[in-house]
Amino acid sequence: MIGDIERYIQNARTLGRSGKTLAVYRWRLDWLKCFLPARNAADITSGDLARFHENLQAAPLAEASRSSIMATVKGFFAWLHENNRILSDVGAFLSIGKAKAETLDMPPSEAEMSDLL
């Protein structure tokens, strides 16, 4: 899978993606590579990706990070399929919902600040 990830990153580079974007893609795909070490992309099944998704839910990451990792994985497998590296797009079934926006608490009022001081 390492070679396919490098080809994917190289393709993104030729499309004009920034160095920072390429580093983020690599970081996101490293999560998959660590979960499925020494596996060829052609051997990965939709079941493997479902288990990866379940495992990722337990990772100490923000929901937005989990969603972006899964979106990159989905894009990676779509690219592999489009470029005839795999027979079918095993990531097509992945449903990537948008992460819920995290709301910030309102700052303390003047009265609350006075009480605090």
Side-chain angles (χ1 to χ4, degrees):
M1 181 167 33
I2 294 171
D4 286 321
I5 290 173
E6 290 307 315
R7 281 186 276 283
Y8 181 72
I9 298 295
Q10 182 59 34
N11 181 70
R13 181 178 288 117
T14 62
L15 294 174
R17 303 294 189 266
S18 73
K20 185 172 181 171
T21 297
L22 300 175
V24 169
Y25 286 172
R26 187 179 311 281
W27 176 81
R28 291 172 182 169
L29 291 171
D30 278 347
W31 280 86
L32 179 66
K33 185 173 65 175
C34 289
F35 183 74
L36 298 168
R39 294 280 298 272
N40 291 321
D43 297 331
I44 295 173
T45 66
S46 57
D48 292 328
L49 292 183
R51 285 187 293 284
F52 171 69
H53 185 253
E54 288 172 16
N55 183 271
L56 192 61
Q57 297 309 307
L61 296 169
E63 186 59 35
S65 295
R66 289 186 197 106
S67 293
S68 64
I69 289 169
M70 291 308 298
T72 299
V73 167
K74 184 174 182 157
F76 173 62
F77 280 95
W79 179 84
L80 289 171
H81 179 62
E82 289 167 9
N83 288 278
N84 300 315
R85 307 283 304 159
I86 58 176
L87 295 177
S88 64
D89 182 359
V90 295
F93 81 96
L94 292 172
S95 175
I96 312 299
K98 287 193 171 198
K100 295 177 185 171
E102 295 181 23
T103 58
L104 300 176
D105 292 334
M106 294 298 295
S109 67
E110 285 185 43
E112 290 171 323
M113 286 303 291
S114 291
D115 289 346
L116 181 62
L117 297 174

